[in-house]
Amino acid sequence: MTNTNKPAEGTSLVYQCRLNVSTQTVEYCAGLLRAHLRAIGSPFRSLPPRRIVLLVLAMLRHDQRVLDLAGGNNVPETTLRRWRDELVGLLAACAPRLDRALKKIAKRGGEVVLIDGTLIPTQRRTGAQDRRNYSGKHHRHGLHFLALTDERGRLIWISAARPGRTHDAKAAQHDHIVEQLKAAGLGALADLGFIGIDKSKDPDDQVIITGYKATRARKLTPGQKQANQVLSTARAPVEHGFANLKAWRILTKLRTAPGHATALLRALLVLTNIHVNR
């Protein structure tokens, strides 16, 4: 991976740094790209597929700027952007659908999944998009998405990106999480943000466990506090899943258009699983 700056003297300075991804990740992406080039009958690129993959992964893993990488590798900026979008699209197409991901967990003998929502910081935008992307919970602008992990914290599914003000429960209702869990015969452990989305009258039929919430008029009993603590411990691995995903520094402060964020997140899901499960 290389980068470049132009000092006052006009001589380009190029430096190198280590790209922290596994060899399996690089080879998987290069294989995808080669197969795509053969499928579209366009085998020629100004750089070989493996080199293209390294440049794209540098943008995703280390949030390297397109202009810097383009200058350091003698590639036009527009070409590098096209390569990035091409590979992100190929990876996003490999991300599992919700129903298939849940059925896979059930087939492996799993009984529950972990669900949570998080916010990806973004730049402020003008007009109506600015207000919609502001999260009162996090006090910053961003895009909201849900994620499901297995009991060990391995990511299995990511929702579409939504405005930052979206609540976890609203997003789960929109994605029909409860219905999909029941169809797969699975349960889910969730935090208090998901209270109310599983409206089954029979407690034995509820598939989403959320714990107990205190109010001003009603304090939690010792038993309820202990139940919340047990649930919190069981849910802890979901944070490991988010941590692995956010190790891709492009998510530190997303600069892509909101419409492209969903494809990017799903591409990073595929890359994260390859990197973590190697």
Side-chain angles (χ1 to χ4, degrees):
M1 181 179 73
T2 56
N3 197 350
T4 183
N5 266 321
K6 291 186 178 181
E9 296 80 6
T11 302
S12 296
L13 302 178
V14 179
Y15 67 87
Q16 294 180 334
C17 63
R18 180 173 177 267
L19 182 57
N20 184 25
V21 297
S22 65
T23 303
Q24 292 92 325
T25 304
V26 176
E27 295 305 327
Y28 178 84
C29 294
L32 270 183
L33 184 56
R34 293 188 188 101
H36 172 68
L37 295 179
R38 288 194 299 268
I40 64 175
S42 178
F44 176 77
R45 289 287 191 274
S46 57
L47 293 178
R50 197 173 190 277
R51 182 65 178 173
I52 293 173
V53 166
L54 288 173
L55 294 177
V56 174
L57 291 179
M59 287 185 275
L60 302 180
R61 190 68 173 182
H62 293 308
D63 197 21
Q64 289 289 321
R65 301 301 192 268
V66 176
L67 181 61
D68 294 337
L69 283 177
N73 292 274
N74 297 318
V75 177
E77 182 181 353
T78 54
T79 299
L80 196 52
R81 290 184 188 277
R82 187 173 67 251
W83 288 347
R84 178 199 61 192
D85 294 342
E86 184 178 47
L87 185 58
V88 165
L90 293 173
L91 289 167
C94 299
R97 289 182 358 189
L98 176 57
D99 56 344
R100 294 176 181 173
L102 293 177
K103 288 178 181 177
K104 186 175 181 180
I105 293 293
K107 189 175 181 180
R108 283 198 322 229
E111 297 180 350
V112 298
V113 295
L114 311 179
I115 181 173
D116 204 356
T118 191
L119 188 81
I120 297 298
T122 62
Q123 293 178 322
R124 295 190 61 174
R125 297 185 178 275
T126 59
Q129 289 290 336
D130 183 65
R131 182 176 295 274
R132 295 176 67 244
N133 286 344
Y134 183 77
S135 169
K137 176 182 177 181
H138 297 89
H139 304 291
R140 65 190 309 174
H141 292 78
L143 294 174
H144 174 276
F145 72 93
L146 297 176
L148 293 179
T149 73
D150 62 13
E151 297 177 31
R152 297 175 58 186
R154 293 176 296 190
L155 288 164
I156 60 174
W157 175 78
I158 283 181
S159 73
R162 297 185 174 93
R165 69 180 183 183
T166 305
H167 293 282
D168 291 343
K170 188 71 174 179
Q173 289 173 345
H174 187 275
D175 289 321
H176 306 289
I177 297 293
V178 173
E179 293 81 0
Q180 296 279 11
L181 287 170
K182 289 182 177 179
L186 295 173
L189 305 182
D191 61 17
L192 298 179
F194 293 85
I195 287 180
I197 67 169
D198 192 351
K199 299 179 180 179
S200 177
K201 295 181 180 180
D202 186 354
D204 293 334
D205 290 337
Q206 292 184 349
V207 295
I208 296 185
I209 302 174
T210 58
Y212 300 94
K213 184 176 182 180
T215 65
R216 291 183 179 181
R218 185 185 63 190
K219 304 301 181 181
L220 296 182
T221 66
Q224 290 173 333
K225 291 181 180 179
Q226 185 177 6
N228 282 352
Q229 185 175 5
V230 171
L231 178 63
S232 178
T233 301
R235 288 188 60 258
V238 75
E239 299 300 335
H240 300 315
F242 281 133
N244 289 329
L245 182 69
K246 293 181 179 180
W248 298 90
R249 296 179 188 170
I250 194 172
L251 298 181
T252 302
K253 192 168 187 179
L254 204 58
R255 292 180 297 277
T256 187
H260 297 156
T262 297
L264 175 62
L265 286 168
R266 289 175 175 168
L268 295 180
L269 165 66
V270 175
L271 292 174
T272 299
N273 285 337
I274 297 172
H275 186 71
V276 171
N277 300 329
R278 65 187 186 278

